[in-house]
Amino acid sequence: MRGPVRWWRGKSTPAKVETYTRWSFHFFVVIEIATFGLPAFSEVRAPTAGWLLLMVCAHAAACAVTASRALDWTRGRREQPVRLLWGLAAITAVIAATAIAVEELGPAGDGVDSAAGALFAGVLCYGAGVITLGVRDRLRAFAVVGGFAAASGILALPAGASGPGALGAMLAVLVGAGFLASTSMFSVWLLNAVYELDEARETRARLAVAEERLRFGRDLHDVMGRNLAVIALKSELAVQLARRGRPEAVDQMTEVQRIARESQREVRDVVRGYREADLGVELAGAQGVLTAAGIRCEVSGKVDGLPAEVQSALGWVVREATTNVLRHGDAGRCAVALRVTPEHVVLTVENDGAGGPPGEGGSGLTGLRERLTAVDGTLEAGSVAEDRFRVVATVPLPTTPVVSEVVA
């Protein structure tokens, strides 16, 4: 079973922000109970204190459920919880009215008045702050805050509060509810911004792949476009000459045959250049793509002097590892190190994204192992810590045979 640390590190950055936001609102529930419910026991005797705590707990539970459903709505996972919003507003109004009744009709004493007054202002502030999570724009949020502030004055005046007292209650609720509502709106904005940034990074990665495909298409078009046009022209000329019985038709078809073979060779060169990756180019490209995606990439080591087949195999490792960093996990830093010894070359790609690519035995890594096997290389891939994933490719270098002189 995964521990809490591994569970947390296994989440992407947007998921972490969403979890933090949810638990922040759930923690507000604890604050509400600790601020307005528990202190009643030090000021009010039982059973009045117990009833006040029960009302605070009921309101806090309603706030927690409404906040969770409202966050789901902002992320598009469920419909707007209209009934819950109205239900929370009704519960808030009932508890606020009950607090006023306890203050006026309950046991005499300053402690009862203080606890009931705090409960009255607290449920209105928290109710308004949570309800703003479930509205779409700022004007409606301001209307919610203003409505709750006005409701505090409307409930306070019939209970015998003076004009300044009712105005003070309205200001207190306006400030408290405004602060909690602003916190709620900012939290939703931040959560949406993080998800949008993550989607933008994925879009950049897809664009990088599309750009590479366009480059290959342009290269193939440049090679084949002119040659196919010449082949078509000379073939048409050969047909006309053959119909007239001219011997030059053979020369034209011979030329067509030469151009076709030349085109075939050039296409092979283009495909070979695409399939046999140059390690230096791949390292520079990986650094550029990762940097554009907001991932700090550090590349170390020299490529000079490595055989072409070794560079091609390791170049594909860089390609696949870079793709995994972009598509999977949530990396902020990637280190690519190339170490060359007289016996072998070791390429290490390590990132701090949570875990490795889905299906570590999938087609991507399987294909890399097949390419490395062709040059007697090996590939190791896996997690090396809670938040790091490492790919290590080792390829032996061909040894230069030693020619000894035979002395007659």
Side-chain angles (χ1 to χ4, degrees), residues 47-233:
T48 304
W51 284 108
L52 292 177
L53 177 61
L54 183 61
M55 287 190 293
V56 173
C57 291
H59 187 265
C63 287
V65 174
T66 305
S68 179
R69 298 294 178 87
L71 285 176
D72 287 339
W73 169 67
T74 59
R75 294 304 315 144
R77 301 191 184 108
R78 64 172 67 241
E79 296 181 356
Q80 186 179 15
V82 178
R83 293 183 179 179
L84 276 176
L85 296 176
W86 281 108
L88 177 59
I91 293 174
T92 302
V94 170
I95 294 178
T98 304
I100 291 294
V102 170
E103 182 179 1
E104 295 297 325
L105 306 176
D110 294 338
V112 175
D113 295 343
S114 176
L119 175 61
F120 171 77
V123 295
L124 288 175
C125 291
Y126 274 87
V130 172
I131 289 176
T132 53
L133 282 174
V135 298
R136 180 66 68 182
D137 51 41
R138 296 180 181 178
L139 291 179
R140 293 184 179 180
F142 293 153
V144 170
V145 173
F148 273 75
S152 65
I154 294 173
L155 290 174
L157 285 174
S162 62
L167 181 60
M170 292 176 62
L171 290 176
V173 172
L174 182 63
V175 172
F179 173 76
L180 292 176
S182 300
T183 302
S184 300
M185 289 188 294
F186 177 77
S187 299
V188 171
W189 173 84
L190 180 62
L191 180 61
N192 292 332
V194 171
Y195 270 103
E196 289 174 1
L197 288 174
D198 187 68
E199 292 174 0
R201 188 178 68 173
E202 293 181 358
T203 301
R204 284 197 296 266
R206 290 194 295 267
L207 289 177
V209 175
E211 184 178 357
E212 177 63 17
R213 291 175 177 174
L214 288 175
R215 183 193 67 81
F216 178 71
R218 287 194 300 267
D219 292 346
L220 192 61
H221 176 270
D222 293 341
V223 169
M224 295 299 297
R226 180 185 61 86
N227 291 350
L228 289 176
V230 174
I231 288 174
L233 182 61

Side-chain angles (χ1 to χ4, degrees), residues 321-333:
T322 302
T323 302
N324 287 336
V325 173
L326 290 171
R327 293 181 178 176
H328 314 300
D330 184 43
R333 175 182 175 274

Side-chain angles (χ1 to χ4, degrees), residues 17-63:
V17 175
E18 181 176 354
T19 303
Y20 170 79
T21 303
R22 288 181 181 275
W23 283 104
S24 296
F25 284 105
H26 292 164
F27 186 68
F28 284 168
V29 170
V30 179
I31 296 177
E32 182 180 5
I33 296 174
T35 304
F36 305 110
L38 296 179
F41 285 94
S42 63
E43 301 178 359
V44 183
R45 295 180 181 180
T48 304
W51 284 108
L52 292 177
L53 177 61
L54 183 61
M55 287 190 293
V56 173
C57 291
H59 187 265
C63 287

Side-chain angles (χ1 to χ4, degrees), residues 5-6 8-11 16 296 298 325 328-335 348-357 360 380-392:
V5 176
R6 190 172 182 84
W8 176 257
R9 294 185 183 276
K11 289 179 172 291
K16 289 179 180 178
R296 184 163 55 93
E298 300 174 358
V325 173
H328 314 300
D330 184 43
R333 175 182 175 274
C334 181
T348 303
V349 182
E350 182 175 311
N351 69 87
D352 60 357
E360 294 178 9
E380 298 178 1
S383 299
V384 294
E386 292 291 340
D387 61 343
R388 293 203 306 274
F389 187 81
R390 180 184 297 167
V391 176
V392 180

